[in-house]
Amino acid sequence: MGHAFLIGYRLVADALIDRAKRRPGTTMDDIAQTSMAVWSLLDAASRTVNDVYRDTLVGLARADELQRLLLLDALLTGKTADWAMLGGTAASLGLPEQGPYVCVVVDHGDVAAMEQAMLRGGLRSAWRPRPDGLAGIVALPGPFPAPGRAHACGLAAVLDVVGTAVTGRAGLSPAYTPLRESADALRLATLARASLPVGTHRAVTLDHDPAAALVAAGPDLALRMALTVLDPVLAAPDRKDLMETLTAWLDSDTGSTTEIAEILYCHRNTVRNRLDRVSRLTGRSLLRPADVAALYAGVRALELRPR
């Protein structure tokens, strides 16, 4: 636009100078002063035009960003009527028209930084700041040979990129296709994040630890149950050693006392004695699946309780 004004003023200046040359009594000094006046006007006009143009672009960008945030809010809060009224489309959020998508919730972060991290991973996304961090919708990469395979591989790719980008907890929803299901996906992503203890630096889905997700879904009830089940252990003088050993055993892939002893830097008989003591104090058998499930839920509830 500034270039167009420059051409226009040059044409005006040339016309004025040509006319002045044909006018009797006009001196070169007159022509020089006129030219300087014209170019001063040009400079002032160009600055004004550039300022207005820049302000207009900034205003349009802010309007676009506000529209984008409103559309994201409508999706993430389940206000589908507002989404339709605002003319919401996937393209208006910078997302592909066809899913599948996943909803992501992270403890904290910067919108621009997260979007850039996703782009570096080949992922398109839209993010919204929230009081408890960020919420975003990420399009799964593709294509894949079959829908089931597409969802599994795409979700793994998003999980990897998000896990690298975040500095706290992050939860991912299952894959979904209609954008109108984003509010339900947000709830599941929030639950997945809540299945991780505060202070964890990791990204997970609900499949990571279903039992922990169930505990996170009803934290008050889970904590009450945990205190009921584990109260005798928590009241014991050696509670720290007992809880540490029980947690290590529950987290173990094999349940091997030798393996746990190596992790805790103690003798395997010490591990066995501590586990037997937990069993006696709680009245729960470590050989009975229902009792083990109760102990596992109790330990997870204590880990996830607010600090």
Side-chain angles (χ1 to χ4, degrees), residues 194-195 197 211-216 218-227 230 243 293-307:
S195 72
L214 287 173
V215 167
D220 294 336
L221 179 60
L223 184 58
R224 183 182 180 88
M225 181 274 296
L227 294 176
L230 295 171
M243 289 299 299
L295 291 170
Y296 185 87
V299 169
R300 289 293 174 257
L302 291 176
E303 289 179 340
L304 299 177
R305 64 180 169 178
R307 297 175 183 177

Side-chain angles (χ1 to χ4, degrees), residues 177-191:
T177 299
L179 273 176
R180 293 173 182 269
E181 294 181 4
S182 295
D184 290 335
L186 174 64
R187 179 178 58 83
L188 296 176
T190 302
L191 190 57

Side-chain angles (χ1 to χ4, degrees), residues 2 22 42 65 74 78-79 139 152 155 159 180 198 213 220 223 227 249 258 277 303 305 307:
R22 296 198 304 270
L42 167 63
E65 182 60 21
K79 297 177 181 177
L155 192 58
L159 192 63
R180 293 173 182 269
V198 174
D220 294 336
L223 184 58
L227 294 176
W249 182 77
T258 301
R277 183 161 159 73
E303 289 179 340
R305 64 180 169 178
R307 297 175 183 177

